[in-house]
Amino acid sequence: MAFLQDMIIQYGYVAIFFCLALGVIGLPIPDEILMTVVGYLSSAGLLLLPLSVAVSFLGAMSGMLCSYALGRKFGKPLLWKYGKWIKLTSKRLEKTETWFARYGPWAICIGYYIPGLRHLTCYMAGVSAMNPRKYLLYSGMGALCWCLIFTSIGYFLGAYVDFSNYHASLLRLFFKPFRG
């Protein structure tokens, strides 16, 4: 995680934007840790918090729009051709599209908090040809809330988080008050 911190310190807001955009598209970038580091660096005065949140939101939305466009343009043909390799038959694809038509907007908004699902929902929104305005509304709500929450965690609690063992550190931080 020192790598992310060094990259942000060296390249600033540009690194935040591209790391989030590429992370949402599907590259293995730990987005939650990135946002917590951004919040922490903002609390240390190295970044401006409002600008950090705005750049983070724009980076996340850029990645989400690219994923949506890729799903819309290439998704169905690729799934029809290679879906059998991942046990996705045309019948399962049809069921998935029906489910996504019904629950997709909420899956996008809520799925943003689940790594892996965040990436899949963006592509599936494109594959199922979700209305672009509807997609922008729900993905924007999810991305903005997500950016605010994780940046705030870093801003207010970042000094107490060990970024080399991020998840264990957060669990200790939040469950410490419950110890006897």
Side-chain angles (χ1 to χ4, degrees):
M1 297 319 116
F3 171 74
L4 285 175
Q5 189 171 346
D6 292 342
M7 185 180 276
I8 294 168
I9 289 171
Q10 185 170 359
Y11 298 107
Y13 302 105
V14 173
I16 296 168
F17 178 86
F18 283 109
C19 283
L20 275 174
L22 294 173
V24 171
I25 289 173
L27 290 180
I29 296 172
D31 298 331
E32 289 84 3
I33 296 172
L34 172 68
M35 293 308 303
T36 310
V37 168
V38 167
Y40 171 68
L41 293 175
S42 296
S43 72
L46 297 173
L47 298 170
L48 299 173
L49 184 63
L51 187 55
S52 296
V53 170
V55 168
S56 300
F57 172 74
L58 292 173
M61 285 303 297
S62 294
M64 292 175 88
L65 288 171
C66 285
S67 297
Y68 174 84
L70 288 170
R72 185 107 187 213
K73 179 80 174 164
F74 303 110
K76 274 190 185 176
L78 282 175
L79 290 175
W80 283 331
K81 187 172 183 177
Y82 299 108
K84 63 185 176 194
W85 298 105
I86 57 170
K87 308 273 191 230
L88 190 59
T89 62
S90 59
K91 186 177 179 181
R92 284 187 177 168
L93 181 57
E94 224 175 271
K95 284 176 84 173
T96 303
E97 285 180 341
T98 302
W99 183 90
F100 206 82
R102 185 172 182 181
Y103 301 109
W106 295 109
I108 291 167
C109 202
I110 295 168
Y112 207 86
Y113 296 90
I114 304 168
L117 188 59
R118 166 184 327 136
H119 316 296
L120 185 61
T121 56
C122 298
Y123 288 109
M124 284 309 296
V127 168
S128 65
M130 177 185 272
N131 178 303
R133 286 184 184 181
K134 190 178 207 180
Y135 177 74
L136 279 172
L137 175 67
Y138 283 93
S139 62
M141 286 188 318
L144 182 60
C145 290
W146 182 82
C147 288
L148 287 169
I149 288 170
F150 281 96
T151 306
S152 296
I153 288 171
Y155 189 83
F156 294 110
L157 305 174
Y160 304 105
V161 174
D162 174 14
F163 289 103
S164 64
N165 193 357
Y166 176 75
H167 295 306
S169 181
L170 280 181
L171 286 173
R172 277 194 305 278
L173 181 66
F174 286 112
F175 291 111
K176 192 174 187 176
F178 298 112
R179 290 188 196 160

